[in-house]
């Protein structure tokens, strides 16, 4: 028999088979290498296999070629050469059975059933089995079953894995939600966080609308220009810089040097870095300034208001500030229409030397909205000639103030409205007095005098108090309220016709007719003719005038009101009243605005003028025919007051007047001479009103000749044919 080997057998991995030295005992069923070895590839345990061997004959067991490989050797030691037979029934189970290994070595085969007899797979090596003495076999002693020690309870790995997974997913979900929130909700806030530091803003100015005449010719319009400014903190030598800029800007060098003096902003310690040197500089001149490359001097886009005619309609147009805000005249009245809305371009730029737009960066442009233009009813050529004639005639009366208005009869459009003195609207600061910029036609409040008599006679005709054939005895003087009223042309009590009263401007005859009319009806017709309220022509600051209420009439008012005293009116109001007579008795509100032209070219007509009936067409025609006596009567009894206003070739109806001027309720020295007329009298086309106030008198000598020239030019300008077939009627001043 070969000797028993002392070395344990090793498996294919090199480890000792059956040895569990140093390992903690494992609880059956929990897991371990011993349990893994206890199961065969066929899914049966050794115990099951042993039971099957006991039921199967030896011959069939020995024929299984895999059986030796499925056995577990006891420590790898050789057992007995022979096999132990299974214990007889009733005999206690032995610790093991001897068997022979394929290598011929004998060993003890442990089965699962053996575990009940001893501690399964002890760690210490078993020595060689003791020799048995011959004799009867004693049953093997049952070793006490020792309960295996339980390992320390550890956490469930699966639970820890699930918990960790949940925590990780929660963390990633929170991060994802936050990222989505930042990318969607808070994106503008974070994206724009540093944007202001990278933005550049360029203003896109909107041109101011133009003021045009009735033919579309510009009376005032805006052109592109430049303004020159200085940064005093960067100017190296302000005196040398001023000397270079002075001839280009037309500003004294001392004034420029003072502007460039270093100073701080009001109320702060911050140094001022901007000061205007000049506004509205021509582009060519600005290029010359930039070519000098002066430190601290720069230019920027500006707008300049140009008035091609200088003083042409300046008192109507007004002027604007350097910031293009209307200050006077139509520029102020319609500033919201003329002024455009500036736009701007905001874009992202690089920093430092790369201060240029960033392609694809932030950019937003608000387009400017140019202002609308005003097309007036003014005729530029007629306005020019009206101003020229008025200035020439007024040169005879020093220190005088004059106004002239020309109205298109059927429409009420103001074709010309001149004031004297006037000024250059392009340089409004160069005037002797701010009042020189006023529009005299709407702000010059006068006591109209005898031109008011046409209203009195018109009311009497309409109310049937008189007829064209009425005659009255007219004394030289009449007293009302203790105040004597007398005529310049003495009637000496003779009977005078209505045309004669108009021709010689009889105060006494007019007062007698007004007494038959009554003060209430006279006041009513004054209002119908447009007195006592502003016409609403369109100019700012228009005076409304004033009428004396009936309850305030004194005794003398019966004499003064009918002849145009104790009445405040403007030249435009009186011109509009005469236009009603010329327009067959229909009053038409005088107006200056013909239409508004939007920046897109769309035209919006001006507001329709107010109209109302004052006289019947027949009475208006009778009144016009009687008023022709003012410019035609010239006989042995005297000449009419308006012969100087006659226009050769045309029938003219009108009236002269001599009134007073009041300023803040105080009577001013001198007198106001006036003439208002219409032509052709048989079918009036135009009304011309001329007023001249002269402190030294003589205004009457100016008004009538000025009217003649203005009306003559107007009729020729619009090619009105002369009154060749219709001759002026013959009038009897003192019928027999």
């Amino acid at each position: 028999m070969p000797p028993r080997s002392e070395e344990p057998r090793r498996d294919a991995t090199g480890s000792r088979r059956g040895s569990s030295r140093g390992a903690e005992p494992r609880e059956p069923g929990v897991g371990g290498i011993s349990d893994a070895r206890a199961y065969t590839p066929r899914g049966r345990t050794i115990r099951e296999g042993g039971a099957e061997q006991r039921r199967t004959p030896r011959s069939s067991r020995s024929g299984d070629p895999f059986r030796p490989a499925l056995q577990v050797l006891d420590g790898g030691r050789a057992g007995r050469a022979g096999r132990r037979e299974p214990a007889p029934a009733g005999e206690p189970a032995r610790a093991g059975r001897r068997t022979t290994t394929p290598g011929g070595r004998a060993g003890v085969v442990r089965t699962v059933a053996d575990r009940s007899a001893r501690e399964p797979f002890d760690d210490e090596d078993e020595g060689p089995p003791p020799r048995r003495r011959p004799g009867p076999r004693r049953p093997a002693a049952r070793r006490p079953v020792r309960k295996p020690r339980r390992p320390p309870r550890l956490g469930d790995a699966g639970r820890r894995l699930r918990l960790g997974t949940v925590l990780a997913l929660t963390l990633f979900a929170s991060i994802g939600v936050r990222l989505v929130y930042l990318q969607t909700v808070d994106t503008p806030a974070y994206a724009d966080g540093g944007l202001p530091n990278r933005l550049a803003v360029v203003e896109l100015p909107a041109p101011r609308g133009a003021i045009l005449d009735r033919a579309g010719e510009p009376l005032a319009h805006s052109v592109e220009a430049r303004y020159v400014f200085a940064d005093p903190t960067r100017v190296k030598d302000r005196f040398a810089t001023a000397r270079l800029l002075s001839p280009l800007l037309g500003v004294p060098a001392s004034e420029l040097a003072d502007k460039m003096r270093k100073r701080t902003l009001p109320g702060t310690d911050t140094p001022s870095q901007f000061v205007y040197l000049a506004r509205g500089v021509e582009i060519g001149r600005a290029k010359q300034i930039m070519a000098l490359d002066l430190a601290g001097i720069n230019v920027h886009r500006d707008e300049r208001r140009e008035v091609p005619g200088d003083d042409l309609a300046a008192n109507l147009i007004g002027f604007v500030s350097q910031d293009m805000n209307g200050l006077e005249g139509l520029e102020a009245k319609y500033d919201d229409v003329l002024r455009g809305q500036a736009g701007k371009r905001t874009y992202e730029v690089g920093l430092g030397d790369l201060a240029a737009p960033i392609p694809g960066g932030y950019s937003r442009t608000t387009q400017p909205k140019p202002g609308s233009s005003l097309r007036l009813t003014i005729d530029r050529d007629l306005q020019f000639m009206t101003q020229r004639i008025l200035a020439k005639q007024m040169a005879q009366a020093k220190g005088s103030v004059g106004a002239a208005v020309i109205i298109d009869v059927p429409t009420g459009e103001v074709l010309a409205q001149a004031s004297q003195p006037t000024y250059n609207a392009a340089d409004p600061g160069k005037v002797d007095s701010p009042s020189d910029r006023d529009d005299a036609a709407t702000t010059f409040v006068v006591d109209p005098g005898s031109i008011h008599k046409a209203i009195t006679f018109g009311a009497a005709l309409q109310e049937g108090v008189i007829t064209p054939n009425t005659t009255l005895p007219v004394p030289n003087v009449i007293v009302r309220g203790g105040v004597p009223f007398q005529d310049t042309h003495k009637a000496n009590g003779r009977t005078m016709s209505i045309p004669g009263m108009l021709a010689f401007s009889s105060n006494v005859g007019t007062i007698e007719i007004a007494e038959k009319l009554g003060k209430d009806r006279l006041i009513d017709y004054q209002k119908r003719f447009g007195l006592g309220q502003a016409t609403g022509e369109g100019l700012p600051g228009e005076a409304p005038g004033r009428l004396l209420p009936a309850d305030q009439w004194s005794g003398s008012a019966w004499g003064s009101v009918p002849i145009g005293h104790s009445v405040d009116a403007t030249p435009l109001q009186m011109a509009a009243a005469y236009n009603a007579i010329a327009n067959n008795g229909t009053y038409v509100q005088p107006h200056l605005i013909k239409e508004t032209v939007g920046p897109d070219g769309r035209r919006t007509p001006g507001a329709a003028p107010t109209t109302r009936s004052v006289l019947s067409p027949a009475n208006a025609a009778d009144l016009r025919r009687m008023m022709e006596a003012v410019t035609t009567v010239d006989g042995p009894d005297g000449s009419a007051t308006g012969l100087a206003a006659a226009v050769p070739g045309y029938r003219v109806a009108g009236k002269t007047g001599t009134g007073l001027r009041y300023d803040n309720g105080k009577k001013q020295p001198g007198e106001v001479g006036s003439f208002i007329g219409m032509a052709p009298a048989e079918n009036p086309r135009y009304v011309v009103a001329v007023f001249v106030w002269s402190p030294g008198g003589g205004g009457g000598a100016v008004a009538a000749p000025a009217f003649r020239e203005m009306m003559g030019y107007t009729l020729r300008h619009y090619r009105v044919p002369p009154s060749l077939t219709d001759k002026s009627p013959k009038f009897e001043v003192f019928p027999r």
Side-chain angles (χ1 to χ4, degrees), residues 163 183 188 211 227 263 348 383 389 472 483 503 511 523 527 531 548 553 560 564 585 620 668 684 693:
L163 179 60
Q183 291 292 329
I211 297 179
Y227 65 79
R263 67 196 72 192
E348 195 173 359
Q383 177 73 26
I389 293 170
L472 294 173
V483 178
I511 294 172
I523 293 174
K527 293 179 180 179
L531 303 186
L548 187 64
W553 279 39
S560 62
Q668 302 298 308
W693 169 72

Side-chain angles (χ1 to χ4, degrees), residues 472-477 486-496 504 506 508-509 512 637 733-734:
L472 294 173
V474 178
N476 294 334
V477 179
Q486 58 184 359
D487 289 339
T488 303
H489 293 78
K490 307 297 183 181
N492 298 322
R494 289 180 293 175
T495 300
M496 183 176 284
F504 292 112
S506 173
V508 176
E512 290 180 343
D637 295 319
V733 177
F734 300 104

Side-chain angles (χ1 to χ4, degrees), residues 38 57 137 203 213 276 321 351 524 614 666 682:
R137 180 180 299 175
E203 183 177 344
D213 81 334
Y276 281 115
S321 67
L351 300 178
D524 180 54
V614 181
K666 295 181 180 181
E682 68 277 12

Side-chain angles (χ1 to χ4, degrees), residues 269-572:
D269 295 332
T270 305
S272 174
Q273 296 181 323
F274 181 90
V275 60
Y276 281 115
L277 298 182
R279 299 290 303 270
V281 179
E282 295 180 357
I283 297 178
R285 190 66 57 86
K287 290 181 179 180
Q288 296 179 17
I289 294 174
M290 291 302 297
L292 297 177
D293 194 21
L294 300 173
I297 305 298
N298 211 331
V299 301
H300 201 273
R301 191 185 189 280
D302 198 9
E303 186 177 354
R304 185 177 73 250
R305 198 67 166 170
E306 280 195 351
V307 183
D310 292 336
D311 63 349
L312 183 66
N315 301 77
L316 288 177
I317 296 170
F319 57 92
V320 299
S321 67
Q322 291 183 338
D323 295 324
M324 294 292 119
N325 296 320
L327 298 181
E328 286 188 10
L330 295 175
E331 294 277 20
K333 176 72 173 182
Y334 298 95
D335 184 63
D336 56 340
V337 176
L338 295 168
R339 185 177 62 241
Q341 298 181 8
K344 66 178 180 179
R345 182 187 175 209
T346 305
Y347 57 93
E348 195 173 359
V349 298
L351 300 178
D353 295 336
L354 299 178
I358 298 177
Y362 176 86
S363 178
R364 176 177 295 178
T365 301
T366 302
Q367 295 296 335
K369 296 180 180 180
S372 299
S373 297
L374 291 179
R375 190 158 76 96
L376 306 183
T377 59
I378 296 296
D379 185 320
R380 184 179 64 170
D381 294 337
L382 184 59
Q383 177 73 26
F384 172 78
M385 287 302 298
T386 301
Q387 289 185 211
R388 181 178 178 182
I389 293 170
L390 184 63
K392 182 184 68 173
Q393 292 293 335
M394 288 181 58
Q396 305 173 27
K398 301 299 182 180
S400 58
V401 176
V405 179
I406 301 177
I407 300 178
D408 182 71
V409 170
T411 64
E413 294 179 348
V414 178
L415 303 177
Q417 187 164 309
S419 298
Q420 187 65 31
T422 185
Y423 69 103
N424 184 356
D427 191 5
K430 293 182 178 180
V431 291
D432 296 333
S433 172
S435 61
D436 292 348
R437 300 194 297 256
D438 295 339
D439 175 63
T442 57
T443 62
F444 190 49
V445 179
V446 299
D447 192 340
S450 294
I451 56 176
H452 183 273
K453 293 174 181 176
I455 295 175
T456 303
F457 283 103
L461 279 173
Q462 187 67 22
E463 294 298 319
V465 174
I466 60 173
T467 67
N469 299 321
T470 298
T471 59
L472 294 173
V474 178
N476 294 334
V477 179
I478 190 172
V479 178
R480 291 294 182 266
V483 178
F485 296 91
Q486 58 184 359
D487 289 339
T488 303
H489 293 78
K490 307 297 183 181
N492 298 322
R494 289 180 293 175
T495 300
M496 183 176 284
S497 66
I498 301 299
M501 295 180 189
L502 288 169
F504 292 112
S505 191
S506 173
N507 293 329
V508 176
T510 305
I511 294 172
E512 290 180 343
I513 292 174
E515 288 178 343
K516 295 179 180 180
L517 180 65
K519 63 180 178 182
D520 291 327
R521 287 193 291 183
L522 178 58
I523 293 174
D524 180 54
Y525 275 89
Q526 285 177 325
K527 293 179 180 179
R528 290 188 186 185
F529 275 106
L531 303 186
Q533 58 184 353
T535 64
E537 178 197 34
L539 282 176
E542 180 182 0
R546 185 182 64 88
L547 297 177
L548 187 64
D551 58 355
Q552 296 182 15
W553 279 39
S554 62
S556 62
W558 283 99
S560 62
V561 173
I563 63 175
H565 298 289
S566 300
V567 177
D568 293 341
T570 64
L572 180 63

Side-chain angles (χ1 to χ4, degrees), residues 226-239:
R226 299 290 185 267
Y227 65 79
V228 181
F229 66 96
D231 181 354
T233 63
R234 298 180 56 220
V235 175
K236 295 181 179 179
D237 187 342
R238 60 190 177 101
F239 296 102

